[in-house]
Amino acid sequence: MSIPLSPAARLLAALDLPVGDAHDLPASPHRFPDGAHYRVEIPSVEGPRVLAAVIEEARTRGVPIHRVSQGSGIMLLTDEEIGEMCGMCRETRMELSLFVGPRAAWDTGASVVSPAGRTLGAQLRGQDQVRYALDDVIRAVELGVRSVLVADIGLLRILDLARQAGHLPADLIIKISVQLAAANPLAIAVLADEGATTINVPTDLSLAHLAAIRQHCDVPLDVYVEVPDGFGGFVRHYEIPALIEAVAPVYVKFGLRNAPDIYPSGLHLENVAVLMARERVRRAELGLALLRRQLGDVSGQALRMSDVGVADAPGVPAVRGAPAPERR
């Protein structure tokens, strides 16, 4: 028996919107500008020493890394540290994405520690915090950073307006944090319309959820295939081939289960952060090996990874950016 469409389903169809989740996982027609299906991201790269460990481990293991992201915030890095990280990423052709520092969880309000208010932790609380966050971004951009990680829709709007008006670089990447938690095609589209360049989706969305989002939006999605315990602790390596095919363009993001929360990081946690970063690269090696094995069984099909160069690598600081100081 065929079930007739509900009034809501008919309305969605009339508006040319997804009627439901894409359980058939149709192949995505979208790609990165270089024609690739996917790129690899290593999160929680909290400073120059951690970044150096990621680069060394990636070279040793032959793992291509396209983006590294940081979670403690721009405000907890010195100018010299930011300059050094920019230089290292320029050298290795990787995007460097730094989290904007201030957020509600570090402020004086009590809502973020209440059961109902915990989701507010990464939002900006009041216009003073918005101004602090904007100062954070301006400082990072002046030091050469071209990719910032935001978790507040108000800040997203301001950054996009500033970018359009020429107050911020036109090539500034605005990466949406997993903590903004847009979990359906329409919510993702709102973020894209507000100027998001790349969007980290909630960690527990199914492949059908993600495929439905892709039917309505062509902005790259950042998807954890291994998730820190604080965000659910899922290990989804075996979904990588289907994820790339149905959700391209996608950043395959390797977090780490069974690991301590290091935010906000600093010298007191640096050794732990370095070891965790090395293990994330190892996890990426395992995930990419699984992908190669799976593709070996599919004749004539190839899911291509980006191979970007300095001139077109997203988020790589331009040469005009602050030079990196000598490494100590």
Side-chain angles (χ1 to χ4, degrees), residues 40-204:
V40 176
E41 176 177 345
I42 301 296
S44 301
V45 179
E46 298 304 294
R49 254 198 82 201
V50 185
L51 177 55
V54 167
I55 292 169
E56 181 184 25
E57 200 71 28
R59 285 174 175 160
T60 299
R61 295 181 180 276
V63 175
I65 307 295
H66 300 87
R67 173 198 278 162
V68 293
S69 53
Q70 176 253 17
S72 295
I74 296 162
M75 63 186 287
L76 293 182
L77 292 170
T78 67
D79 287 5
E80 291 74 19
E81 288 168 336
I82 292 173
E84 187 171 0
M85 292 178 79
C86 285
M88 293 163 76
C89 284
R90 187 184 302 121
E91 226 175 84
T92 51
R93 304 177 180 183
M94 289 193 302
E95 178 185 339
L96 171 67
S97 189
L98 301 182
F99 211 129
V100 179
R103 59 201 79 165
W106 298 1
D107 203 355
T108 55
S111 292
V112 296
V113 297
S114 68
R118 286 174 186 157
T119 56
L120 301 173
Q123 305 298 305
L124 299 180
R125 185 171 171 271
Q127 191 66 4
D128 282 353
Q129 272 211 338
V130 171
R131 186 178 73 253
Y132 302 155
L134 189 56
D135 276 332
D136 227 25
V137 173
I138 292 169
R139 172 176 167 247
V141 165
E142 289 175 348
L143 291 168
V145 173
R146 291 296 178 269
S147 178
V148 293
L149 180 53
V150 306
D152 182 272
I153 195 166
L155 180 61
L156 168 63
R157 168 167 283 191
I158 291 169
L159 295 182
D160 186 48
L161 290 173
R163 189 173 55 181
Q164 290 183 50
H167 300 297
L168 292 172
D171 61 348
L172 179 68
I173 291 172
I174 305 175
K175 172 173 159 58
I176 300 299
S177 166
V178 66
Q179 292 174 280
L180 198 47
N184 63 68
L186 285 303
I188 294 289
V190 168
L191 297 179
D193 289 345
E194 288 292 339
T197 317
T198 172
I199 300 172
N200 203 140
V201 295
T203 62
D204 62 348

Side-chain angles (χ1 to χ4, degrees), residues 239-284:
E239 291 184 324
I240 292 173
L243 169 70
I244 293 170
E245 182 173 39
V247 188
V250 60
Y251 283 91
V252 181
K253 187 169 177 178
F254 292 89
L256 192 60
R257 275 213 62 181
N258 194 30
D261 183 356
I262 58 171
Y263 297 147
S265 193
L267 292 177
H268 61 308
L269 294 170
E270 189 172 66
N271 290 336
V272 175
V274 165
L275 290 174
M276 288 168 59
R278 289 187 182 277
E279 182 57 26
R280 287 189 185 91
V281 177
R282 178 176 169 274
R283 294 291 221 269

Side-chain angles (χ1 to χ4, degrees), residues 237-238 241 285-298:
H237 290 196
Y238 275 99
E285 180 185 27
L286 293 171
L288 295 178
L290 183 151
L291 177 63
R292 286 192 296 272
R293 289 196 301 273
Q294 293 278 61
L295 291 185
D297 298 329
V298 183

